[in-house]
Amino acid sequence: MPWLGGLALLSCLGDYDGGQKVIGFGIAIPITFLFSIAIYLIALCVRLDPATVEEHIEQTRAEAAQEEAELG
């Protein structure tokens, strides 16, 4: 959600088609770069730990095997 909201805000403030022309193209590139780094760092902080990911994968495999057995 932060990524989508940030991109919408940057688009709205930009000088592109229909934008508010607050941010020009020359400054939009560095702002977008910094915004992308911020989103990447947020994603690193909120990601699942590897053990939880493996647990989810195993649960999904077990559910798929059960459904496959039920469907024949």
Side-chain angles (χ1 to χ4, degrees):
M1 292 309 288
W3 172 76
L4 186 59
L7 284 181
L9 179 64
L10 288 173
S11 293
C12 181
L13 295 176
D15 61 353
Y16 312 109
D17 187 34
Q20 299 297 315
K21 299 184 184 346
V22 174
I23 300 172
F25 182 75
I27 193 72
I29 299 298
I31 289 173
T32 304
F33 178 74
L34 293 174
F35 172 71
S36 298
I37 290 173
I39 292 297
Y40 179 76
L41 293 174
I42 290 169
L44 285 177
C45 290
V46 300
R47 71 179 183 219
L48 294 174
D49 61 289
T52 304
V53 172
E54 287 297 325
E55 183 180 319
H56 286 290
I57 291 171
E58 288 305 317
Q59 288 175 351
T60 303
R61 286 182 180 154
E63 289 174 10
Q66 181 182 1
E67 288 179 9
E68 184 68 30
E70 289 175 2
L71 295 174

